[in-house]
Amino acid sequence: LASSAKIIDSDELFMANGIVVRLSALLLISSVCLCAKVHNEADDEVDFKDYKHDPKTHGLFMALTEPQAPLNVKIPLTEEQELKFTASRDALLHSVRRKADLHDTNHPMTKEHLRARHKGNQERTLDILIGAVRGGMTVQEARIGTSLAQFELLPAKLKERALAAAREKLDRMPVEQREAVRRHLRERNEREREQLEAMSDGEREQWVRSVWRPSQGHPAALM
């Protein structure tokens, strides 16, 4: 009887633990859903704060932004490409900041995970740039094309508001200043293309590695 009682107690304990596990899983799912809901609602109220001096946002940008193969871009950009490229900076920084708020960067395991993603994404970005240059793009075109590809993957409402903000920004810019920016971009790209055309494939790869060098250490936000 004593033995039977012990077996019954063990079974009851097992069942109780199973219930706790299931309840814990449900609570975890609920909390994730709540975070996603908060995240989506936050995106509905995009104000595009200036994150250019925010160390956490910039420090986590590479870790939280998946590298993408560049869209087919040639400089000079079309008006649509120019508008989207202008919008992409604020939209991507906004997206990264929202994701960063969901990560406790003071937790050692979170830091380790984000450091690994940072390093891996740097390596993937370098491979993407090398492949793009082998395919006939300049590094400048490849980087713009990558930003546009990342922009296209953002939520529709975020893109819509980013495009509206970019349109206002470009409209406020004096015509002479906008033309000067375009000219600088075009002239720099022409010089780069001339350099690349004079190189072998191996030299092009080494050149890309020299102009886009991944950081060797960890970003300050993950130290």
Side-chain angles (χ1 to χ4, degrees):
L1 290 173
S3 177
S4 298
K6 287 181 181 178
I7 292 173
I8 293 171
D9 289 345
S10 298
D11 288 344
E12 288 176 348
L13 181 61
F14 176 78
M15 290 173 66
N17 285 339
I19 291 170
V20 170
V21 169
R22 286 195 292 273
L23 285 174
S24 299
L26 287 172
L27 288 172
L28 178 60
I29 292 170
S30 298
S31 65
V32 170
C33 291
L34 178 60
C35 287
K37 185 173 184 291
V38 170
H39 177 79
N40 289 336
E41 289 174 351
D43 282 342
D44 288 342
E45 300 177 356
V46 178
D47 57 5
F48 293 121
K49 293 179 182 178
D50 189 354
Y51 292 123
K52 66 182 179 182
H53 297 304
D54 179 41
K56 184 173 183 180
T57 301
H58 281 268
L60 297 182
F61 188 90
M62 183 61 68
L64 298 179
T65 307
E66 288 296 316
Q68 300 294 326
L71 298 184
N72 188 21
V73 167
K74 294 295 180 185
I75 296 175
L77 304 176
T78 66
E79 287 188 10
E80 181 183 10
Q81 289 171 339
E82 183 180 77
L83 177 64
K84 287 185 175 182
F85 182 56
T86 303
S88 66
R89 176 187 175 276
D90 285 341
L92 288 169
L93 285 175
H94 177 88
S95 177
V96 168
R97 183 60 193 183
R98 292 301 184 192
K99 293 176 185 176
D101 287 341
L102 301 177
H103 290 79
D104 179 9
T105 52
N106 292 319
H107 195 286
M109 289 184 67
T110 302
K111 279 187 179 181
E112 183 179 351
H113 171 69
L114 291 175
R115 285 170 178 171
R117 286 188 60 177
H118 177 89
K119 182 179 180 181
N121 285 348
Q122 280 191 322
E123 293 171 352
R124 287 172 59 196
T125 299
L126 180 58
D127 289 341
I128 286 171
L129 293 177
I130 291 172
V133 169
R134 284 175 178 165
M137 300 179 82
T138 63
V139 171
Q140 191 166 217
E141 289 169 341
R143 294 189 71 176
I144 292 173
T146 296
S147 293
L148 294 180
Q150 291 168 330
F151 176 76
E152 292 296 350
L153 295 176
L154 295 175
K157 285 188 177 181
L158 177 56
K159 290 193 293 183
E160 181 182 334
R161 299 197 182 198
L163 288 169
R167 192 174 288 108
E168 289 181 11
K169 183 185 294 185
L170 291 174
D171 287 345
R172 289 195 306 267
M173 186 182 295
V175 175
E176 298 81 5
Q177 183 180 351
R178 193 187 301 186
E179 288 302 321
V181 171
R182 288 170 176 165
R183 184 172 59 254
H184 175 73
L185 190 68
R186 184 176 63 253
E187 291 174 351
R188 179 181 172 185
N189 197 66
E190 288 172 354
R191 289 195 298 271
E192 183 184 335
R193 188 169 296 285
E194 288 176 2
Q195 286 179 283
L196 289 170
E197 287 177 350
M199 298 178 187
S200 65
D201 286 343
E203 290 171 334
R204 290 191 189 103
E205 179 175 337
Q206 291 304 313
W207 188 81
V208 174
R209 291 181 182 277
S210 70
V211 298
W212 198 89
R213 287 174 289 185
S215 59
Q216 297 301 310
H218 301 302
L222 297 176
M223 293 298 287

